[in-house]
Amino acid sequence: MHIFIDETGTFTGIGQALSISMIGALIVPDDRKRSLEREYGKLRKYLPTEKGEVKGKRLSEKEIAGLMPMLRHHDVIFEVAAIDLGIHTEEGIRRNQARRAEGMTNGLTDKHHQSLIDEIWKARRELEGYSLQLNIQSAVMFELIDRVIEHGTMYYSQRRPRELANFHWVIDAKGDNSIPTPWENWWTMFIKPALQSKMARDPMASLKIGDYSHMKRFEFDEISDFMKNLLKPQSDGPKPMNLGLVLSENLRFSTAPEPGLELVDILTNATRRALRGNLQAEGWQDIPSIIIARNPNTIQLLSLDSNVPESMKLPYGKTVMAFHKNAKSMLTAKNHKEKW
């Protein structure tokens, strides 16, 4: 499967109304990618461009809606994680940031290799040195990637199990000439152990009826004492997954106007515009049809402050509920009927 990732919003505006930022991911099956690119190319010539690139913020409701049948036909998945900084406080976010930084090194002991200890402390100090904006962005990104892996594998294990054999990550680059910025380098370095640790605390969901045979090459063949202590595998249970391999085997940052990156930009911008009230329903009402339903809300609204109210109490609560109501099912029609 191919995963294209882009963001919209500035991840700033704490305390200011509707300061919504989000990161979206478009998952495209490998055996449908060429067809999708070909069909998008036919439609793209009619879309507005900015410096040779289609930008979601410039598309009308009709233009966005016109892309949805093509996306549904190619069995893609769209995932999005968002944050509304307008309902956060700087104090609350800084407390969360401090807890996240401390959590990076809390589990280190003298049993760990010194090189690992030095590397994690280096990553912690770098995280603490980044702006509040980038720390917020990292928190949203971590949540998105976790969901992408979980939903992508569960969904395609029922429909296209061969898609689980490879994960191709393409991230919209913010540096020049496709060279990752220091922040992007930090993200690629630390997200792997961070998600592996998160998986140990909260194992990734899977389906008993799913075919995961093509993922076996991502299982740990041998587990070090450190990883055994972290993952605590059961002797009669499945082998732990090497998320580092899943995330890094095929990962690149791109500045090129690639079809997948343009499409995820369109979808992510449209979703943000919908929540901010800047896009009529015609432009967003079909987007949930390519998002997998998840409780309590299909649009994942991240809270980094314990005082953040529930989404239903917010101006865009009805829109969030509409996305949830119209999202597609994780299970196939056949598996809905199965007793398992």
Side-chain angles (χ1 to χ4, degrees), residues 14 70 72 160 175 186 190 197 202 230 232 235 261 326:
I14 296 172
M70 173 194 68
R72 283 195 297 272
R160 304 171 184 272
W186 184 93
F190 193 71
S197 179
D202 183 20
L230 174 67
K232 297 179 174 59
S235 57
L261 289 178
N326 298 308

Side-chain angles (χ1 to χ4, degrees), residues 5 45 57 69 108 119 126 132 164 193 207 245 248 251 257:
I5 297 176
K45 64 182 71 173
K57 63 184 179 182
L108 295 176
E119 186 175 292
E126 289 181 356
L132 198 62
L164 278 61
L207 295 173
L245 188 59
S248 63
L251 168 71

Side-chain angles (χ1 to χ4, degrees), residues 85-328:
L85 291 172
I87 54 177
H88 284 70
T89 64
E90 182 173 342
E91 180 185 3
I93 293 176
R94 290 198 180 280
R95 282 199 303 268
N96 180 277
Q97 176 184 346
R99 286 197 298 270
R100 289 175 60 224
E102 291 170 4
M104 292 171 66
T105 54
N106 276 348
L108 295 176
T109 69
D110 55 7
K111 294 182 179 180
H112 297 134
H113 292 294
Q114 188 59 46
S115 60
L116 175 66
I117 294 174
D118 293 342
E119 186 175 292
I120 293 180
W121 268 104
K122 180 177 181 291
R124 171 178 170 171
R125 286 190 290 269
E126 289 181 356
L127 177 64
E128 291 172 329
Y130 282 121
S131 68
L132 198 62
Q133 173 190 12
L134 290 178
N135 274 281
I136 295 167
Q137 184 180 351
S138 77
V140 178
M141 182 70 86
F142 279 15
E143 291 300 318
L144 175 71
I145 298 300
D146 184 43
R147 177 183 282 206
V148 163
I149 295 174
E150 182 173 283
H151 277 189
T153 54
M154 292 174 71
Y155 182 84
Y156 291 122
S157 71
Q158 305 167 74
R159 298 164 176 85
R160 304 171 184 272
R162 289 184 180 276
E163 296 298 328
L164 278 61
N166 293 283
F167 295 79
H168 304 269
W169 303 86
V170 184
I171 303 172
D172 186 55
K174 303 309 175 186
D176 295 326
N177 300 319
S178 298
I179 300 173
T181 63
W183 163 252
E184 290 165 343
N185 278 327
W186 184 93
W187 179 79
T188 55
M189 177 189 74
F190 193 71
I191 193 171
K192 293 178 285 185
L195 282 180
Q196 196 80 68
S197 179
K198 184 177 186 296
M199 181 178 169
R201 300 189 304 271
D202 183 20
M204 187 175 69
S206 61
L207 295 173
K208 293 180 180 179
I209 53 175
D211 178 358
Y212 293 87
S213 59
H214 294 277
M215 286 196 75
K216 285 191 176 297
R217 71 186 193 85
F218 294 109
E219 295 176 348
F220 280 107
D221 291 326
E222 296 183 5
I223 306 176
S224 65
D225 291 338
F226 168 69
M227 293 304 296
K228 285 180 181 178
N229 184 57
L230 174 67
L231 299 174
K232 297 179 174 59
Q234 301 297 316
S235 57
D236 58 345
K239 291 183 178 180
M241 187 189 306
N242 184 346
L243 287 181
L245 188 59
V246 170
L247 288 163
S248 63
E249 185 177 50
N250 197 315
L251 168 71
R252 62 187 174 88
F253 292 87
S254 174
T255 58
E258 302 183 29
L261 289 178
E262 288 190 347
L263 286 166
V264 73
D265 174 75
I266 292 168
L267 293 167
T268 309
N269 267 279
T271 304
R272 180 173 182 262
R273 289 163 65 187
L275 295 193
R276 287 172 56 85
N278 297 330
L279 188 71
Q280 297 301 310
E282 178 190 359
W284 60 261
Q285 61 188 2
D286 286 340
I287 293 179
S289 68
I290 59 172
I291 305 179
I292 296 173
R294 172 177 173 170
N295 291 322
N297 292 312
T298 296
I299 294 181
Q300 187 175 6
L301 283 162
L302 191 65
S303 171
L304 300 180
D305 188 334
S306 58
N307 295 322
V308 172
E310 296 179 4
S311 61
M312 280 300 296
K313 300 176 183 178
L314 300 171
Y316 44 79
K318 290 184 178 179
T319 303
V320 170
M321 287 303 297
F323 267 77
H324 186 63
K325 180 180 178 181
N326 298 308
K328 67 177 177 179

